[in-house]
């Protein structure tokens, strides 16, 4: 069974950094893209960053561009989100997502990890 397991959330002061990790498990898992989304209280889930597995192209929302970096491990389906210069408005539950091979959109989601940035 495919699972996405996230780690690395926590609390930090504004200007600080956190690194999120997401590892996919499942013998037959393969993906064309993996990414990160977030949902703040009372708001809809929004796109943060993504990476195409073939070629490694990366994409970012305007709100995090220049501050966040998505990367992947050399082996396996593990993706990271390095978050620098964090702001209170970055506070949200962060979700890892995967678009599996053959899927037309993100179809696997992690359980979410809380990121809290205090002023």
């Amino acid at each position: 069974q495919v699972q996405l397991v996230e780690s690395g959330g926590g609390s930090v002061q504004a200007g600080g950094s956190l690194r999120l990790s997401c590892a996919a498990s499942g013998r037959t898992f393969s993906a064309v893209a993996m990414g990160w989304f977030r949902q703040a209280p009372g708001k809809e889930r929004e796109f943060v960053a993504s990476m195409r597995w073939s070629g490694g192209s990366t994409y970012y929302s305007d709100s995090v561009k220049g501050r966040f970096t998505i990367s992947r491990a050399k082996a396996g389906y593990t993706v990271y989100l390095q978050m620098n210069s964090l702001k209170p408005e970055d506070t949200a539950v962060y979700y890892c997502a995967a678009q599996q091979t053959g899927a037309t959109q993100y179809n696997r989601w992690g359980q979410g990890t809380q990121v809290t940035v205090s002023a």
Side-chain angles (χ1 to χ4, degrees), residues 38-45 88-93 114-116:
R38 67 186 182 186
Q39 187 168 20
K43 295 188 177 181
E44 293 187 352
R45 188 175 298 187
E89 50 264 44
D90 293 319
T91 296
V93 177
Q114 178 70 46
V115 170
T116 302

Side-chain angles (χ1 to χ4, degrees), residues 2-97:
V2 173
Q3 280 190 313
L4 301 182
V5 180
E6 300 138 336
S7 61
S11 297
V12 65
Q13 289 190 326
S17 298
L18 285 173
R19 188 191 196 208
L20 306 182
S21 299
C22 173
S25 64
R27 286 190 304 156
T28 61
F29 179 83
S30 67
V32 297
M34 293 185 71
W36 293 92
F37 292 72
R38 67 186 182 186
Q39 187 168 20
K43 295 188 177 181
E44 293 187 352
R45 188 175 298 187
E46 65 174 0
F47 168 78
V48 175
S50 67
M51 172 178 282
R52 302 291 295 181
W53 224 249
S54 176
S57 297
T58 56
Y59 306 89
Y60 298 92
S61 68
D62 288 342
S63 61
V64 307
K65 200 173 295 182
R67 300 188 297 121
F68 291 10
T69 302
I70 188 170
S71 62
R72 64 185 182 188
K74 291 182 179 179
Y77 286 94
T78 298
V79 66
Y80 307 102
L81 186 68
Q82 178 66 42
M83 304 185 293
N84 298 329
S85 302
L86 282 161
K87 305 175 181 180
E89 50 264 44
D90 293 319
T91 296
V93 177
Y94 283 71
Y95 296 91
C96 175

